[in-house]
Structure formats: structure tokens, C-alpha cells
Amino acid sequence: MQTRIYRWCVSILLMSSLILGGCATSAQQSDTLDDSIAETQAQSPVPSESNQFSGLPYLEGEATVEMIVNGAPISILVRGLDAPITAGNFVDLANRGVYDGLVFHRVIRQPQPFVVQGGDPQGKDPNFPANQLGTGSFVDPATGQPRYIPLEITPANAQEPVYSQTLESAGITDQPPKLRHTRGAVAMARSNLPDSASAQFYFALADLEFLDGDYAVFGYVTEGMDVVDQIQQGDRITSARVTSGLNNLKLMD
């Protein structure tokens, strides 16, 4: 019983850190983002309903991305059928070389295994302050503007994703998402604004059921989880390449 109470308390603390990190101002970011899965931006990225998905990449099927870290490969199966926009965004960024050289700026293993997070484009600059990583987004060179994607979660018994809402806020409390936070899940980091994910992602180091329905899982590590387990804060992604399924990458009209 004491063990279960301890795990529940830890889960609540970790979830609270996610919420705190998302609403930080620029002056507070370095303090509040350290223990959260959060990606922060200066202004709300929420688009209007009429053009919410226009111009965004999406994945029509599956793809495989191979990420090299510390000289070893991590194979990620990207699930476009259940998270088409989230999966398409990740595959597009990998194909563009956006993740090459970026830092894993947040690794949390204590008091229990949690996440390894990276993908802040600001980390490409070796002189960028490490304590400010976790605040950056992908800037589309075609527009000069940050690209944000909607929160996208497909309930277990649904054919279509729920967009721009957590499952709880959408009133779906009787079923989990199709893509769950099991060990090896790969999901998008975001702030407390639902449509604020951009480039930052995280690996789940354990089953994290308390994140299900709040953050968008888009794939799973199929090989190389032992490599993920060895990642330390400050390690860099040598490269990320789409090894199959690139033909499934499309662009929203």
C-alpha cells in the first residue's frame, strides 16, 4: 500500500511539473522547465479553425526513423494511421535534418524513470545557453514563422483523432488513447496550450499511464531502447534519417 501511495504521489508531482512548465514567462522558464515535458513560446500558436491544418505535413501510413545517438542506432516506428499530423511533422523534421546535432536537454530518471527529451532547434548552436534549452520551436524556412501542430489523440474505439483537446477536456473518460505511454513510446512535448507542439519530443522510460490522453504519442522504439536508457543530459543526436515510409509523407491542402 505504501509503495502504491508513493508512486501515486510521484506521478502527481511529475504531472504538476508539466503544467507549471507550460505557462512560464520568459523570465521564469529556466526555473520551471527543468522538471517538465514542456515547450514554451512567446505567443499562442493556436490557429483559426478554418485553416488549422492547412500546409501541415501528415503521414498516410507508417514510417521508420533511425536516430543515431552515441554511435548507436535507435529505430522508431512512426504511426501515421493513429496520429497522422503528429507523425507527419516528426518525419518531415527528420527528413529535413532538423534533429541532426540537437541536444537531449532533459533526462529524468529519479525518483523514478520518466523521460528523455530533446529536439529543441536552438540546441544546434553549441554556444546557446544549456539552461535555456526547452524553449525553442521549429521555424519553417519557407514562411519564417514557427510551425505548431494541434494536439492529436485518437481514442481506442474511435476512427478519427480528437484535435486541440485532451481526452478529458473532450469528455472522453471511459477509454484510453490508441497510442499509449508505454515504455519506449515517443511523444511530442508541448506547453499547457494544447496546440503548441513543434519539434521537441520525448522517449518514455517507463509506462507513464498518467500522461495518456494529455500528450500525443506518435510512435514507439522498436530497436535500441538500451541506447535510450544510456542517454545522458547533454548528449546529442548525431543524425535522424527516414529509412522507410517517406513516400507516405503528404502535405495538407
Side-chain angles (χ1 to χ4, degrees):
M1 176 62 75
Q2 288 181 337
T3 300
R4 280 192 289 179
I5 292 174
Y6 170 76
R7 288 177 179 173
W8 179 82
C9 291
V10 169
S11 298
I12 293 298
L13 286 172
L14 291 173
M15 179 62 86
S16 297
S17 72
L18 302 181
I19 297 169
L20 287 172
C23 58
T25 64
S26 58
Q28 297 169 323
Q29 284 167 355
S30 61
D31 294 329
T32 60
L33 286 172
D34 285 344
D35 296 320
S36 66
I37 298 174
E39 189 171 82
T40 313
Q41 57 285 322
Q43 59 186 5
S44 171
V46 181
S48 64
E49 292 184 1
S50 61
N51 66 351
Q52 184 175 14
F53 307 135
S54 178
L56 290 178
Y58 70 98
L59 191 67
E60 198 174 62
E62 294 183 342
T64 302
V65 171
E66 184 183 74
M67 189 172 289
I68 305 296
V69 181
N70 294 326
I74 302 166
S75 185
I76 302 168
L77 177 64
V78 185
R79 300 275 296 273
L81 294 177
D82 299 314
I85 294 176
T86 313
N89 178 69
F90 183 78
V91 169
D92 178 61
L93 294 179
N95 188 53
R96 290 171 179 260
V98 170
Y99 290 123
D100 297 358
L102 298 189
V103 176
F104 287 102
H105 61 274
R106 181 172 298 113
V107 177
I108 302 176
R109 294 193 173 93
Q110 299 295 333
Q112 65 185 37
F114 188 39
V115 301
V116 170
Q117 182 180 337
D120 184 340
Q122 297 172 123
K124 191 87 74 172
D125 179 359
N127 297 317
F128 190 85
N131 64 356
Q132 292 182 30
L133 289 173
T135 63
S137 302
F138 168 66
V139 176
D140 190 334
T143 65
Q145 298 297 316
R147 178 207 284 171
Y148 299 107
I149 59 173
L151 180 60
E152 178 184 52
I153 302 174
T154 303
N157 297 326
Q159 297 300 313
E160 301 290 337
V162 171
Y163 285 101
S164 303
Q165 301 178 81
T166 65
L167 293 192
E168 183 177 6
S169 63
I172 302 173
T173 57
D174 60 343
Q175 56 183 299
K178 284 187 178 179
L179 303 182
R180 305 194 66 177
H181 281 81
T182 55
R183 172 173 157 79
V186 191
M188 291 303 292
R190 64 173 180 85
S191 75
N192 65 328
L193 298 171
D195 297 345
S196 58
S198 181
Q200 294 183 50
F201 67 93
Y202 59 92
F203 295 111
L205 295 177
D207 293 349
L208 304 173
E209 297 92 343
F210 62 96
L211 297 182
D212 285 344
D214 286 325
Y215 292 83
V217 174
F218 61 85
Y220 295 90
V221 173
T222 56
E223 294 182 44
M225 194 60 200
D226 57 325
V227 181
V228 176
D229 287 334
Q230 297 302 313
I231 293 173
Q232 301 298 315
Q233 192 160 307
D235 287 350
R236 291 185 178 270
I237 301 168
T238 302
S239 64
R241 295 287 179 269
V242 184
T243 57
S244 68
L246 186 59
N247 59 309
N248 291 329
L249 186 63
K250 315 292 182 182
L251 197 66
M252 288 285 185
D253 295 331

